[in-house]
Amino acid sequence: MNRVKVAVFQEAKKGNNECGDSYFYSETENEFICALADGLGSGEFAKESSEIVINIIKENINSPVEELVKKCNEKLIGKRGTVLAILKIDYHSNSYSISSIGNVGVMTITRGNTKKRSIPNAGYLAGFNRKFQVIQEPLENEMNFIMYTDGVTSKELTEHYFFEKEVERITKTFAFKSKDSRKDDTTLIAVRYEHN
Ligand SMILES: [Mn+2]
């Protein structure tokens, strides 16, 4: 019962000890969930907000994506805002759901090597109600999902190694190609779905 493989690259902005990005992923028999949050600004307050959001998701992994976003938003009242992306793969309905609020991205790659970047909702989570969309698409076998914060550049996302089947190769190639110091906190999560 293990349909998903995950590899993560994470590095703090040059000169910072701590990365303001937080993430979490988990697979159960029914589904896979991955969330990535980037606290606005940098340093410890940024980390605090992104951790709040990730903890809410950890505690509520069975909730639908829409509810998760709402719960996260509520907990950010009086805190620094954060941007957030959530991916859920549902094994029963054979579909996946994505919602991203603000500048944190999700890219899907199908077996036919079609790359698609999901369109994020504008803004960020900061405790006030805002409209957002959750997209739901049919799941295809042997898909890659790439989740990334804004330390990853658009140019980097065009590289061919994102088609790789081994998630470790994706994150290691990314690390190798970005030896220069990062200008922003950077997290790149490579997810591979494969089911026989
Ligand atoms: Mn950032």
Side-chain angles (χ1 to χ4, degrees), residues 21 38-39 41 103 149-151 184-185:
D21 303 344
D38 177 354
N103 209 2
T149 56
D150 58 356
D184 197 354
D185 292 339

Side-chain angles (χ1 to χ4, degrees), residues 68-159:
L68 287 172
V69 175
K70 283 183 182 159
K71 281 191 171 125
C72 290
N73 199 25
E74 282 164 18
K75 289 284 174 181
L76 287 173
I77 294 170
K79 305 279 182 194
R80 201 173 280 196
T82 180
V83 296
L84 169 71
I86 303 176
L87 162 70
K88 248 195 187 216
I89 305 176
D90 184 332
Y91 299 163
H92 291 301
S93 66
N94 221 29
S95 66
Y96 65 87
S97 306
I98 294 170
S99 191
S100 73
I101 292 93
N103 209 2
V104 54
V106 186
M107 181 167 76
T108 57
I109 299 140
T110 58
R111 187 161 55 173
N113 282 357
T114 306
K115 260 189 196 172
K116 200 165 91 184
R117 287 166 69 173
S118 79
I119 298 159
N121 294 279
Y124 54 91
L125 297 178
F128 49 86
N129 279 330
R130 59 165 48 260
K131 285 208 170 110
F132 62 92
Q133 283 193 317
V134 179
I135 64 138
Q136 195 180 3
E137 299 273 355
L139 180 63
E140 288 177 42
N141 200 9
E142 299 177 18
M143 275 186 83
N144 287 356
F145 297 87
I146 310 295
M147 299 176 76
Y148 49 91
T149 56
D150 58 356
V152 178
T153 64
S154 284
K155 189 172 173 288
E156 285 173 315
L157 290 168
T158 64
E159 299 270 4

Side-chain angles (χ1 to χ4, degrees), residues 13-78:
K13 176 183 175 177
K14 187 184 194 276
N16 282 8
N17 293 323
E18 201 165 34
C19 179
D21 303 344
S22 301
Y23 65 90
F24 165 74
Y25 61 87
S26 161
E27 186 181 20
T28 65
E29 214 189 310
N30 305 315
E31 60 180 5
F32 170 80
I33 181 169
C34 185
L36 175 58
D38 177 354
L40 299 183
S42 64
E44 60 176 309
F45 292 111
K47 185 78 187 170
E48 186 198 8
S49 286
S50 69
E51 274 181 344
I52 287 172
V53 160
I54 292 303
N55 285 331
I56 299 287
I57 291 165
K58 276 184 195 168
E59 290 159 13
N60 299 277
I61 52 168
N62 298 314
S63 302
V65 172
E66 190 174 356
E67 217 175 295
L68 287 172
V69 175
K70 283 183 182 159
K71 281 191 171 125
C72 290
N73 199 25
E74 282 164 18
K75 289 284 174 181
L76 287 173
I77 294 170

Side-chain angles (χ1 to χ4, degrees), residues 177-189:
K177 292 211 167 200
S178 65
K179 274 178 293 187
D180 298 345
S181 50
R182 309 295 312 181
K183 291 188 183 72
D184 197 354
D185 292 339
T186 301
T187 307
L188 180 96
I189 306 177

